[in-house]
Amino acid sequence: MKKLITLFALLIVVFTTSRSQNVERHAPAGFDSIRIGIAHGKIDSITYLSKTVGSNRKAMIYLPPNYSKKWKYPVLYLLHGIGGDEKEWLKGGQPQIILDNLFAENKIEPFIVVMPNGRALKDDRASGNMMAPDKVEAFATFEKDLLNDLIPYIEKKFPVIKDREHRAIAGLSMGGGQSLNFGLGNLGIFAWIGGFSSAPNTKPPEQLVPDPEKAREMLKLLWISCGDNDGLITFSQRTHNYLNANNIPHIYYIEPGVHDFKVWKNSLYMFSQLIFKPVDVSKFNKYSIAGIPASTNVRGVKYPQILPDGSAVFRVKAPEAQKVQLDLVKKYDMVKNNEGIWEVTTDSLTEGFHYYSILIDGLAVADPASETFYGMGRMASGIEVPFRGDAYYAVRDVPHGEICIKNYYSTVFNGWRRFYIYKPSGYDVNTSEKYPVLYILHGGGEDERGWATQGKTDLILDNLIAANKAKPMLIVMPDGNVNSQGFGENTLRMFERELKLCIIPFVEKNYRADISSGNRALAGLSMGGIQTLYAGINNTGLFSYLGVFSSGWILPLQSDLADKQYDFMKKNLDKINNDLKLLWIGIGGREDIAYNNCQTMISRFNEMNLKYTYNDYPGGHAWPVWRNNLYNFAQLLFK
């Protein structure tokens, strides 16, 4: 019995180990060097009849170490680039050496590799004009040759396992595009697909994966890789973005490099270790060793970079500094290399936009690699972190409105001020149409630029309007800052006067604003949320919709003011409930610094039976939450 128990335990260890997926992020030195004293596979040439082309065609084949016809093997179909042929991988990549070494280290299961000529022409030589229409078309025609001629030949002549779970396809450049096109287009044939530095022949992702649910169900592994300095990386990036948006598991692997075999050999090394065995999808985002430049970077600058797991790599050159930190709410110590460049990789970051600073020997400065944004009471750096649900503020092929800057004279502040205004698509064409208006306010430490830049107001509304989810509207983004001390009732009253006496009259005189009942809305975040509470609740005859984002009376600082407002609301409860078509309150979860104040406020609303709609979107006191607030709030307006 003791021996049986020991054997059972050993089997559990072997079973578990065989299914574990260690994350090796790059090939080690010597991975592509011939080793003495290990078993080696065999390279041979084959000839098969292609009914597709109407001639005999050649391909190269790798048979693994200790190959025997008594065993049956999986097959990897490995494709070349536009200027190559069936021998390109052997000349530039030496896959037989890479795979022999991996097999000797027990990192891969034995499998056969078929290297065909992906140019399906009778004269399939890699000569002449590679971009000639007939040769380009021949790469697409190869799909029929592969499926109808080559695979049947291999499965008749060699001891292979004849099901999709034991077929893989991968390729470099043009062959990478073919692999994605053919593999994703024939999920009943291939379960393992790899595109290395895929070329422009790669189909648009909507055509590659028209049925995301089917892809999620059938794919064992989808690998997409590219060098970070490869001019073709945009084709891999757009595919990754689509896959990510549609929740299709895949490995997006970026490494330092260009469009060459150094990158492709490493991709083969990485890909081959994952095929024909169980994979751990939860580790897919852990592989990439480089990322994509953040969209908020200064043009042409590589860092900060966003990695597939949502972490970010920051670099700054400060050779004389003694200590450098990244301040991204959490402070990260950066490490200096021999060139005086400090670097750090963060934890996985939450979605959307985040302010940050570089602390150089204690001094907070903007990162010269980043665009700057007015926030935190000064110009600061910002980083945009993409996430699966960010399509609602992506630039899409829809009619676009525009944001304009308008100067006006304030009789309240006795000086010139400005606001930003969003005009929906068609505003300057449909000159007889009038539009409802949303006045939206920024938070403390920000100004009128906040909603226009950090908030992506125009893109959110463009996409909503195009989808018929929101009515076309004007959105006015004024400067809510008041040049006085504190944030008490006098300050709030002064901005209320600015809004009523200057901003709204100016907008309604100079723009085609619909001033009929029910066509004005007021909203704001944080400080702007308190301004909305004050000016909006006091003027429900002026505003029919109010939005309060990440806000609530600041306690105990504003306790007296809050009590006065609650008394006003109790006395005017029926009027407020009747006047307001919507009082919408949003908060960024328990991590939002305004959470407790907000909960206190809505408990008082509940006591007096004030009508409101509540939304909790986790993310804290930050722009990702406020973008989502606008997205949801705007859909309810003016209907």
Side-chain angles (χ1 to χ4, degrees):
M1 177 63 73
K2 186 175 181 180
K3 289 183 178 179
L4 287 174
I5 293 173
T6 303
L7 179 60
F8 182 70
L10 179 60
L11 286 173
I12 290 176
V13 171
V14 172
F15 182 85
T16 304
T17 302
S18 69
R19 281 157 175 75
S20 64
Q21 183 176 325
N22 295 322
V23 177
E24 184 177 12
R25 302 182 68 199
H26 197 276
F31 79 102
D32 55 351
S33 299
I34 297 176
R35 299 181 191 175
I36 306 300
I38 66 170
H40 294 283
K42 179 184 177 182
I43 294 290
D44 206 346
S45 176
I46 60 173
T47 300
Y48 66 97
L49 174 62
S50 172
K51 294 180 181 178
T52 301
V53 175
S55 65
N56 288 324
R57 307 195 71 223
K58 289 184 177 180
M60 304 303 295
I61 191 167
Y62 165 81
L63 303 176
N66 305 317
Y67 170 79
S68 171
K69 292 185 178 180
K70 296 180 180 179
W71 297 95
K72 289 194 173 183
Y73 298 89
V75 184
L76 165 63
Y77 293 87
L78 189 60
L79 311 183
H80 60 81
I82 192 170
D85 57 21
E86 70 273 12
K87 295 182 180 179
E88 182 179 25
W89 268 103
L90 297 174
K91 294 175 182 177
Q94 298 182 307
Q96 72 279 19
I97 297 175
I98 296 171
L99 298 177
D100 285 350
N101 294 342
L102 284 171
F103 182 77
E105 295 174 8
N106 294 315
K107 290 184 175 181
I108 61 171
E109 302 296 325
F111 56 83
I112 291 171
V113 180
V114 178
M115 292 162 276
N117 188 322
R119 192 181 294 100
L121 281 174
K122 287 187 177 180
D123 181 5
D124 58 9
R125 294 174 298 169
S127 60
N129 180 10
M130 294 296 103
M131 297 304 295
D134 61 331
K135 293 190 176 181
V136 172
E137 180 62 27
F139 278 97
T141 304
F142 176 66
E143 179 176 7
K144 295 179 181 178
D145 178 77
L146 173 67
L147 299 179
N148 300 331
D149 302 313
L150 179 56
I151 291 178
Y153 174 86
I154 294 297
E155 295 184 349
K156 180 179 179 181
K157 296 293 185 180
F158 294 89
V160 301
I161 307 173
K162 303 175 183 180
D163 60 47
R164 61 179 299 276
E165 286 80 9
H166 294 87
R167 289 192 205 97
I169 186 168
L172 66 88
S173 193
M174 180 70 77
Q178 287 178 306
S179 297
L180 296 181
N181 294 344
F182 305 164
L184 291 169
N186 296 279
L187 291 173
I189 305 295
F190 301 102
W192 315 84
I193 302 168
F196 311 159
S197 306
S198 301
N201 63 316
T202 308
K203 293 179 180 178
E206 296 81 6
Q207 296 179 27
L208 280 177
V209 190
D211 187 345
E213 184 177 352
K214 180 180 178 181
R216 285 192 293 269
E217 177 186 345
M218 299 191 72
L219 278 170
K220 293 290 186 181
L221 173 67
L222 175 54
W223 168 282
I224 297 172
S225 59
C226 200
D228 63 350
N229 281 315
D230 189 330
L232 300 183
I233 194 171
T234 54
F235 298 99
S236 296
Q237 180 65 36
R238 74 176 184 182
T239 304
H240 161 68
N241 289 342
Y242 177 84
L243 296 170
N244 196 44
N246 286 278
N247 197 24
I248 299 171
H250 64 289
I251 293 176
Y252 185 46
Y253 181 87
I254 307 173
E255 64 170 302
V258 293
H259 200 72
D260 64 11
F261 264 106
K262 181 180 178 182
V263 169
W264 304 326
K265 288 196 292 184
N266 181 62
S267 292
L268 177 62
Y269 174 88
M270 301 289 294
F271 178 72
S272 62
Q273 293 180 72
L274 297 170
I275 57 178
F276 310 130
K277 63 176 69 172
V279 292
D280 185 348
V281 174
S282 69
K283 295 181 180 179
F284 277 11
N285 283 336
K286 302 296 183 183
Y287 282 90
S288 188
I289 56 176
I292 58 171
S295 62
T296 37
N297 290 1
V298 172
R299 186 185 299 274
V301 175
K302 290 177 60 176
Y303 290 87
Q305 284 187 354
I306 308 292
L307 296 170
D309 66 354
S311 61
V313 182
F314 291 80
R315 286 184 178 180
V316 63
K317 188 170 185 178
E320 304 301 321
Q322 300 302 307
K323 182 178 182 179
V324 179
Q325 292 179 301
L326 168 70
D327 186 356
L328 192 62
V329 180
K330 175 182 176 180
K331 289 185 174 64
Y332 295 87
D333 291 329
M334 303 182 77
V335 178
K336 183 169 67 171
N337 66 15
N338 294 332
E339 298 176 349
I341 296 174
W342 298 76
E343 180 176 314
V344 70
T345 301
T346 68
D347 304 321
S348 291
L349 303 175
T350 55
E351 66 186 61
F353 179 86
H354 302 273
Y355 295 114
Y356 75 94
S357 298
I358 303 294
L359 302 177
I360 299 181
D361 293 333
L363 177 65
V365 299
D367 183 352
S370 168
E371 295 285 355
T372 53
F373 305 85
Y374 185 72
M376 305 162 61
R378 60 180 174 83
M379 297 306 293
S381 302
I383 184 169
E384 187 75 45
V385 180
F387 73 106
R388 186 167 294 140
D390 63 5
Y392 72 90
Y393 57 74
V395 180
R396 297 160 71 179
D397 186 14
V398 300
H400 290 281
E402 63 177 336
I403 289 182
C404 303
I405 303 172
K406 193 68 175 180
N407 294 309
Y408 70 97
Y409 189 81
S410 168
T411 56
V412 173
F413 294 106
N414 295 316
W416 287 95
R417 289 168 73 88
R418 69 176 186 176
F419 59 75
Y420 282 58
I421 184 167
Y422 166 78
K423 298 187 295 183
S425 173
Y427 177 87
D428 293 322
V429 177
N430 306 319
T431 55
S432 62
E433 185 173 350
K434 293 189 175 182
Y435 296 84
V437 185
L438 165 62
Y439 297 84
I440 194 163
L441 312 176
H442 59 81
E446 297 170 336
D447 63 13
E448 67 274 13
R449 289 169 283 187
W451 277 107
T453 52
Q454 293 94 300
K456 295 188 179 289
T457 293
D458 56 333
L459 297 177
I460 293 171
L461 267 294
D462 287 343
N463 294 333
L464 284 175
I465 294 169
N468 292 317
K469 292 183 177 180
K471 290 194 68 174
M473 66 184 79
L474 295 167
I475 301 183
V476 178
M477 297 159 267
D479 182 1
N481 293 300
V482 176
N483 298 324
S484 63
Q485 297 297 317
F487 190 45
E489 187 170 13
N490 288 337
T491 302
L492 289 166
R493 186 182 296 117
M494 183 174 287
F495 181 72
E496 179 190 19
R497 293 179 64 235
E498 173 73 0
L499 190 62
K500 292 172 63 178
L501 301 179
C502 301
I503 298 172
I504 293 175
F506 185 90
V507 168
E508 294 183 350
K509 179 181 178 181
N510 291 278
Y511 297 90
R512 296 195 312 279
D514 189 337
I515 61 174
S516 60
S517 176
N519 284 293
R520 291 192 203 94
L522 178 65
L525 68 90
S526 194
M527 179 187 81
I530 294 176
Q531 290 172 321
T532 298
L533 285 169
Y534 187 86
I537 294 295
N538 289 345
N539 296 278
T540 55
L542 192 61
F543 302 104
S544 297
Y545 303 84
L546 300 179
V548 179
F549 310 158
S550 291
S551 197
W553 300 106
I554 303 171
L555 304 178
L557 179 66
Q558 295 178 325
S559 294
D560 292 342
L561 176 56
D563 289 340
K564 185 185 296 186
Q565 285 294 303
Y566 293 138
D567 289 340
F568 173 83
M569 294 167 75
K570 287 178 183 177
K571 293 175 183 178
N572 297 275
L573 182 63
D574 290 341
K575 181 180 187 317
I576 294 171
N577 277 335
N578 289 331
D579 285 350
L580 288 181
K581 294 184 178 181
L582 176 66
L583 171 56
W584 196 91
I585 299 170
I587 198 71
R590 291 184 177 273
E591 63 269 37
D592 193 324
I593 59 173
Y595 182 82
N596 290 335
N597 289 331
C598 180
Q599 300 310 305
T600 299
M601 177 181 69
I602 61 176
S603 68
R604 296 294 296 270
F605 289 173
N606 291 335
E607 290 174 6
M608 68 178 77
N609 292 319
L610 180 72
K611 298 175 184 178
Y612 66 89
T613 297
Y614 180 75
N615 178 274
D616 192 322
Y617 182 82
H621 204 73
W623 275 107
V625 172
W626 306 325
R627 290 173 179 174
N628 185 268
N629 290 163
L630 175 60
Y631 171 76
N632 286 288
F633 181 64
Q635 296 182 60
L636 303 175
L637 297 179
F638 314 124
K639 296 181 178 180

